[in-house]
Amino acid sequence: MLFVIDAGNTNIVGGAYENGRLIDSLRIRTVQGKTEDEYGVIVSSILRDRGIDPKSMDRVIISSVVPQLTASVEKMAGQVFGVSPTVLGSAAYERLPLRIIAADEIGSDLVADALGAWELFKGPCLVVDFGTALTFTAVDASATIAGVAIAPGLGTAAGSLSKATAQLPSVPLEAPPSAMGKNTVQAIQAGVVLGYAGLVDSMVARIKTELGGAKVVATGGLCRVLTGLTNAFDAVEPDLTLNGLAAMERYLY
C-alpha cells in the first residue's frame, strides 16, 4: 500500500492508496513547532481508528511546501510507517512524464496538481487550487508546466481583511444572496467570494487563450466555495493533489 502526504501551510493532508485507489484520507492542522512524535501520534491514531494498520504501508511519498516542517514530517513517516519516505524535489521531477520549469522554485504540491490533471485529461490542462494561496498551474500540449499564477487564497484574503481592520469580522466563506451586501457579513462575502469568482473567470480565460485551449480542474480545500458561481471548471477534484502524488509511484519506484 501507498501513503502520500501533502504538507501545506494550513493543513497536512494524507491519503492511503491500495491498487491505485484512495481508500481513506486525513487532514490535520499544520502547527509550527510540533514535533515528529506529536504528528506521529495523531496520524497513527487516526489511521488505526479507521481500521488501517500504518505498517501495511510499504511506500510513502511526501510533498512539503513548508521547509521548517519537512524534516519533522519525514521523520514522522519513518517512525509511523517503518519505511524510508520519498520527499519530492527537483531530483525526483526528472523521472516524471512532465517537463518542470524552475524546478528548484516550483512548489511540489503544484507539480502533483499538474501530474494529477495530466493523468486526468491527457492533454493541455489548467489546475485551479484553492488553498492558503490560490494557484493556477498550466500544462501545455507537450506536457510542460507552462507557467503558474499565484494570488492570496480566499481564506487568506478574508483573514487578512479582518486582522487589518478594527470593525470587520471574520465571516463564513459562502456566497451572499446579492452582490450588494445588506450587512457587514454579506458585504465581505460579496467582495471576497463573488470577487474571487470574477478573478477565477478572468484568469482562466486569459490562460486558456495563451495555451490555445485547455481543460480546467478545480481542487483544494475551498474549491467547492466557488463551484456554483462560475462555469470555468470542466471538473472538480478535491483529492487531485493526493491523486497526483499517488500517480508518481509509477515513476519514482
Side-chain angles (χ1 to χ4, degrees):
M1 292 178 67
L2 169 70
F3 197 81
V4 299
I5 300 172
D6 176 26
N9 291 285
T10 303
N11 293 302
I12 299 172
V13 185
Y17 285 79
E18 186 172 20
N19 298 322
R21 183 176 64 87
L22 180 64
I23 61 173
D24 213 332
S25 62
L26 59 84
R27 180 183 296 267
I28 59 178
R29 186 159 296 279
T30 299
V31 179
Q32 298 294 338
K34 191 180 288 293
T35 69
E36 59 267 21
D37 293 328
E38 292 172 300
Y39 281 122
V41 168
I42 296 171
V43 172
S44 294
S45 297
I46 293 174
L47 292 176
R48 294 188 186 281
D49 186 60
R50 295 177 180 177
I52 299 174
D53 179 6
K55 300 302 183 188
S56 65
M57 304 297 164
D58 53 13
R59 293 175 178 175
V60 177
I61 298 174
I62 297 172
S63 162
S64 174
V65 296
V66 188
Q68 58 269 44
L69 181 64
T70 304
S72 293
V73 173
E74 184 177 4
K75 291 177 183 177
M76 177 274 291
Q79 294 171 0
V80 171
F81 303 108
V83 299
S84 179
T86 297
V87 180
L88 291 182
S90 57
Y93 301 157
E94 297 176 0
R95 300 159 67 180
L96 300 180
L98 300 176
R99 178 173 173 269
I100 315 298
I101 61 170
D104 292 324
E105 295 182 28
I106 191 169
S108 53
D109 56 340
L110 302 187
V111 176
D113 280 348
L115 182 58
W118 182 262
E119 295 276 324
L120 182 65
F121 296 120
K122 303 297 184 184
C125 49
L126 173 62
V127 182
V128 185
D129 191 333
F130 293 85
T132 307
L134 172 63
T135 59
F136 301 80
T137 304
V139 183
D140 67 19
S142 67
T144 297
I145 296 182
V148 176
I150 303 174
L154 278 84
T156 303
S160 295
L161 186 63
S162 175
K163 290 177 183 177
T165 58
Q167 292 185 306
L168 297 182
S170 297
V171 302
L173 289 173
E174 55 190 41
S178 168
M180 298 173 290
K182 303 301 188 289
N183 53 51
T184 302
V185 171
Q186 291 181 2
I188 296 172
Q189 289 173 332
V192 174
V193 178
L194 299 185
Y196 265 70
L199 184 158
V200 168
D201 283 340
S202 176
M203 287 300 297
V204 167
R206 286 174 177 268
I207 293 171
K208 286 177 69 174
T209 296
E210 292 188 29
L211 285 177
K215 294 290 188 179
V216 183
V217 56
T219 192
L222 294 174
C223 67
R224 296 198 182 279
V225 174
L226 293 190
T227 52
L229 302 174
T230 175
N231 295 316
F233 308 132
D234 297 290
V236 177
E237 297 285 345
D239 298 317
L240 184 73
T241 309
L242 296 182
N243 291 340
L245 291 173
M248 293 184 186
E249 181 183 23
R250 300 197 303 273
Y251 307 103
L252 301 181
Y253 293 96

